């Protein structure tokens, strides 16, 4: 693996686990098996590396959402909406570092880097909301529903499960790696979206 790719991979893991503020360049260098000078040579300082990590996380998430939104047109809208939910959940479960990175920011991590939400998050939320407007116009989604808030609710729930999971009867944490917990959460998420949007018919 090229040193730059290795550094970015290690930094992504550390930023996701410890946050930007809790991660030092020395930690990144040590985990990558390099010295700080070599890290700086390949990727710049910690700030530049963090921006690279967040850009890559956004690019991967955007690609998943764009592919899913493209299926909304011409498809059964109820099935397409549920497929969108599945695609987003699958992405977050397969890439738990992405919701972890954003959850750290929810807790004011890297607070001096203020533009990332406007640059990355807002366009995706707007894209999903716009893509669902025809379903609102057609009466598939109840006109009284705050669609944007419903999408935020999905983000909060999915990120929370991907990062923290749920507790079983014995108090053990069951998260994305637990198939039973993931199936249970997926079912709950689909039920929640179906009812929140007041979609017609039964769950597909």
């Amino acid at each position: 693996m090229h040193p730059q790719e290795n550094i970015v991979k290690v930094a992504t893991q550390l930023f996701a686990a410890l946050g930007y503020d809790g991660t030092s360049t020395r930690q990144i260098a040590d985990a990558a098996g390099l010295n700080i000078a070599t890290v700086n040579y390949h990727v710049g300082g910690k700030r530049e590396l963090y921006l690279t990590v967040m850009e890559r996380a956004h690019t991967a998430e955007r690609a998943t959402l764009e592919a899913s939104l493209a299926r909304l047109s011409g498809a059964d809208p109820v099935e397409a909406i549920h497929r969108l939910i599945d695609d987003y959940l699958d992405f977050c479960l397969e890439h738990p570092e992405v919701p972890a990175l954003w959850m750290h920011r929810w807790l004011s991590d890297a607070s001096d880097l203020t533009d990332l939400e406007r640059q990355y998050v807002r366009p995706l939320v707007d894209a999903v909301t716009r893509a669902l407007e025809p379903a609102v116009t057609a009466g598939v989604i109840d006109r009284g529903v705050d669609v944007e808030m419903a999408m935020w609710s999905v983000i909060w729930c999915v990120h929370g499960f991907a990062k923290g999971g749920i507790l079983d009867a014995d108090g053990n944490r069951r998260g994305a790696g637990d198939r039973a917990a993931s199936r249970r959460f997926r079912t709950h998420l689909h039920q929640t979206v179906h009812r929140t949007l007041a979609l017609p018919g039964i769950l597909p």
Side-chain angles (χ1 to χ4, degrees):
M1 181 182 296
H2 190 278
Q4 181 178 359
E5 291 302 315
N6 183 42
I7 294 166
V8 172
K9 179 180 178 181
V10 167
T12 300
Q13 294 168 344
L14 287 172
F15 288 145
L18 305 175
Y20 175 81
D21 296 333
T23 300
S24 68
T25 306
R26 179 167 297 280
Q27 286 174 303
I28 295 169
D30 289 346
L34 302 168
N35 58 49
I36 293 178
T38 302
V39 170
N40 289 337
Y41 171 78
H42 284 290
V43 298
K46 188 176 85 165
R47 184 180 189 276
E48 290 75 20
L49 182 53
Y50 179 74
L51 292 175
T52 296
V53 167
M54 296 304 293
E55 181 182 14
R56 290 192 179 193
H58 165 70
T59 299
E61 184 174 6
R62 183 184 63 196
T64 294
L65 282 177
E66 286 179 348
S68 190
L69 292 177
R71 290 194 295 268
L72 281 173
S73 178
D76 176 272
V78 175
E79 290 185 3
I81 289 169
H82 282 283
R83 180 65 183 273
L84 170 65
I85 299 303
D86 269 331
D87 289 345
Y88 184 65
L89 176 58
D90 287 341
F91 173 82
C92 289
L93 295 183
E94 292 167 8
H95 304 278
E97 71 280 2
V98 176
L101 289 166
W102 287 113
M103 288 187 73
H104 278 296
R105 292 190 61 80
W106 295 354
L107 299 174
S108 299
D109 186 50
S111 58
D112 57 318
L113 298 170
T114 60
D115 201 42
L116 296 183
E117 282 72 15
R118 183 195 63 79
Q119 185 177 359
Y120 294 149
V121 179
R122 187 72 249 180
L124 295 185
V125 173
D126 289 344
V128 173
T129 303
R130 285 195 305 270
L132 295 178
E133 286 176 356
V136 176
T137 302
V140 176
I141 296 175
D142 188 281
R143 293 177 181 271
V145 172
D146 187 330
V147 175
E148 181 184 341
M149 189 60 71
M151 293 305 99
W152 277 112
S153 297
V154 169
I155 293 170
W156 298 329
C157 288
V158 171
H159 283 207
F161 178 76
K163 177 65 175 175
I166 59 174
L167 299 180
D168 64 16
D170 297 320
N172 299 310
R173 193 173 297 280
R174 304 295 183 185
D178 186 294
R179 291 186 178 181
S182 292
R183 284 196 302 269
R184 183 181 173 193
F185 176 75
R186 187 184 299 273
T187 298
H188 168 74
L189 185 65
H190 280 287
Q191 290 173 340
T192 299
V193 170
H194 200 86
R195 292 167 182 167
T196 299
L197 299 181
L199 299 176
I202 61 175
L203 287 169

